[in-house]
Amino acid sequence: MHLHTEATAMAVEALEQSEGDFDAARDFLHQTCDGHEVAIYYYKAIKFCADHDTSAGEAWLEDCGGIAQSGDSFGQIACRIAFATLYCAAGEALTELENDADQ
């Protein structure tokens, strides 16, 4: 998976599904990222984390209270990081679309 391509496609879909409402599109993005295979399946998440720069997702999680929670497995942590990384990238893509629409 190419992160930028996937994130951009998700942002475009979110905007279409929300009929151009950027706030609703952000909510849609959260749900879409939460249900994405890299946020659900341990193997996919671990591979995603190994193949991509997860710095933005890790920083976002730290801002939200931390990457790991008591009792987490390695797979659960990888899923959380993969979700956050994808969500941050998709959010950036949506912001780019919003900035382009304002011009």
Side-chain angles (χ1 to χ4, degrees):
M1 166 195 327
H2 185 269
L3 179 58
H4 180 72
T5 303
E6 181 78 4
T8 300
M10 292 171 70
V12 168
E13 179 187 9
L15 196 54
E16 288 172 355
Q17 292 295 318
S18 63
E19 299 176 356
D21 181 338
F22 284 95
D23 289 331
R26 287 186 209 303
D27 291 339
F28 184 89
L29 270 184
H30 190 277
Q31 294 173 0
T32 302
C33 291
D34 194 41
H36 196 280
E37 64 183 11
V38 301
I40 297 173
Y41 301 111
Y42 291 175
Y43 170 78
K44 298 275 187 177
I46 293 165
K47 180 152 179 41
F48 178 90
C49 290
D51 292 344
H52 297 90
D53 177 6
T54 61
S55 300
E58 292 176 44
W60 184 81
L61 287 170
E62 287 295 340
D63 289 345
C64 293
I67 293 173
Q69 299 174 8
S70 179
D72 275 349
S73 70
F74 176 69
Q76 288 170 317
I77 294 168
C79 285
R80 192 171 297 119
I81 292 170
F83 158 78
T85 301
L86 184 60
Y87 182 62
C88 288
E92 288 177 18
L94 184 61
T95 298
E96 288 176 20
L97 293 173
E98 188 172 19
N99 291 340
D100 290 346
D102 287 342
Q103 293 178 3

